[in-house]
């Protein structure tokens, strides 16, 4: 097949692959709505291309993240942009190396670094894939240790993942998962509590520190709940949503 024909074929296949949309609602410790996360992915495969929009309580997007399709979903690169603070990140994984461009806020200078990619490394939302990949070991009660990238520090930190027990989440059987640093760097990554569904092993709830700065320049503690499974959406619906410009301010996490 000629190159032009191959590109056309791949483009047709991509556009024909259904897009799946799911939504999580983030709230602060006192229950105040903070923001919404809208997750899009192109089909069911773990390494499918993904996009995340972060919406103000009134529905306007203020930040977005793009994750390319990959054969290593646990450690893939991503692009992040926050229209409020100017926070931005570009993480590229290639040739056993991780290139990190990080900007904390609009006034700050961009910081760049390149670090080796450790074995079984986890980057950003790749943690979700890591939980499913290690599900049998976690269900046996084994503790799983993984190197997790903290892009603001431009290095990997060891985290410990373990199952803490079964529970019922909004009427459905689920498993509680705890994530904590395996060393003394407690201020870098506070303990996280996660809940995963028994049947399809999808994330139902996240309790921990947001990866987005609030109006005071801090990273607030949030609870994000994903009440419904992903639903099929059209290419046009995704294009319309992704084309919306980011707003520079909203009442997100202002406390």
């Amino acid at each position: 097949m000629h190159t032009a024909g191959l590109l056309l074929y791949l483009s047709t296949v991509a556009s024909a692959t259904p897009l799946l949309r799911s939504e999580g609602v983030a709230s602060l410790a006192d229950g105040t709505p903070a923001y919404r996360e809208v997750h899009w992915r192109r089909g069911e495969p773990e390494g499918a291309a993904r996009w995340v929009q972060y919406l103000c309580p009134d529905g306007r997007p203020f930040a977005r993240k793009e994750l390319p399709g990959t054969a290593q979903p646990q450690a893939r690169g991503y692009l992040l942009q926050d229209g409020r603070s100017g926070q931005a990140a570009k993480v590229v994984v290639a040739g056993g190396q991780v290139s990190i461009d990080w900007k904390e806020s609009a006034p700050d200078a961009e910081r760049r670094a390149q670090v080796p990619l450790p074995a079984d490394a986890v980057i950003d939302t790749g943690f979700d894939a890591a939980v499913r990949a290690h599900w049998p070991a976690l269900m046996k009660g084994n503790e799983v240790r993984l190197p997790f990238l903290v892009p603001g520090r431009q290095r990997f930190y060891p985290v410990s993942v373990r199952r803490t027990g079964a529970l019922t989440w909004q009427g459905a059987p689920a498993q509680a998962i705890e994530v904590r640093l395996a060393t003394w760097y407690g201020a870098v990554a506070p303990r996280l509590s996660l809940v995963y569904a028994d049947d399809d092993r999808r994330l139902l709830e996240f309790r921990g520190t947001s990866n987005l700065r609030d109006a005071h320049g801090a990273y607030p503690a949030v609870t994000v709940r994903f009440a419904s499974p992903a639903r099929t959406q059209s290419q046009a619906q995704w294009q319309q949503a992704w084309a919306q410009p980011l707003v520079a301010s909203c009442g997100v996490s202002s406390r």
Side-chain angles (χ1 to χ4, degrees):
M1 184 180 292
H2 294 297
T3 301
L6 176 60
L7 291 176
L8 177 61
Y9 169 76
L10 293 176
S11 176
T12 302
V13 170
S15 62
T17 304
L19 283 153
L20 299 174
R21 180 188 185 278
S22 60
E23 183 172 318
V25 178
S27 58
L28 302 176
D30 62 1
T32 302
Y35 54 84
R36 286 156 48 204
E37 295 184 11
V38 178
H39 293 247
W40 301 81
R41 74 176 186 270
R42 192 173 290 285
E44 292 288 357
E46 193 77 75
R50 292 173 178 258
W51 301 265
V52 185
Q53 291 175 294
Y54 299 88
L55 310 182
C56 300
D58 63 8
R60 295 176 301 155
F62 67 87
R64 62 167 60 105
K65 182 190 295 181
E66 183 174 356
L67 303 99
T70 180
Q72 47 181 12
Q74 190 171 303
R76 78 170 104 191
Y78 68 93
L79 293 171
L80 171 69
Q81 179 185 7
D82 190 327
R84 303 165 308 155
S85 64
Q87 179 184 351
K90 179 181 180 181
V91 177
V92 177
V93 180
Q97 297 288 316
V98 184
S99 298
I100 308 162
D101 292 349
W102 177 263
K103 191 171 186 178
E104 191 77 9
S105 65
D108 295 328
E110 186 176 69
R111 292 183 287 124
R112 296 180 177 179
Q114 187 172 74
V115 297
L117 181 69
D120 216 12
V122 175
I123 297 175
D124 197 65
T125 57
F127 191 85
D128 203 33
V131 168
R132 284 187 285 274
H134 293 279
W135 189 266
L138 292 169
M139 293 306 103
K140 291 178 183 177
N142 297 335
E143 181 180 76
V144 177
R145 294 200 171 197
L146 303 166
F148 184 80
L149 179 68
V150 180
R153 298 295 182 100
Q154 299 185 319
R155 60 166 291 186
F156 284 87
Y157 289 85
V159 297
S160 170
V161 187
R162 68 184 183 94
R163 172 184 177 271
T164 57
L167 73 159
T168 300
W169 192 90
Q170 297 189 5
Q175 300 292 331
I177 307 290
E178 181 187 73
V179 185
R180 57 185 174 83
L181 277 173
T183 63
W184 56 268
Y185 301 106
V188 176
R191 182 174 298 179
L192 307 178
S193 297
L194 310 170
V195 178
Y196 278 81
D198 266 351
D199 57 356
D200 57 4
R201 303 179 186 178
R202 69 183 180 89
L203 179 64
L204 300 173
E205 182 176 293
F206 166 97
R207 289 179 181 266
T209 303
S210 173
N211 65 334
L212 299 173
R213 290 159 55 96
D214 64 16
H216 302 290
Y219 292 88
V222 296
T223 298
V224 187
R225 295 185 175 92
F226 297 88
S228 302
R231 300 181 184 277
T232 302
Q233 301 285 296
S234 70
Q235 178 82 8
Q237 287 171 307
W238 168 75
Q239 289 175 331
Q240 182 179 16
W242 198 251
Q244 296 179 72
L246 300 181
V247 298
S249 65
C250 65
V252 177
S253 306
S254 59
R255 298 189 177 187

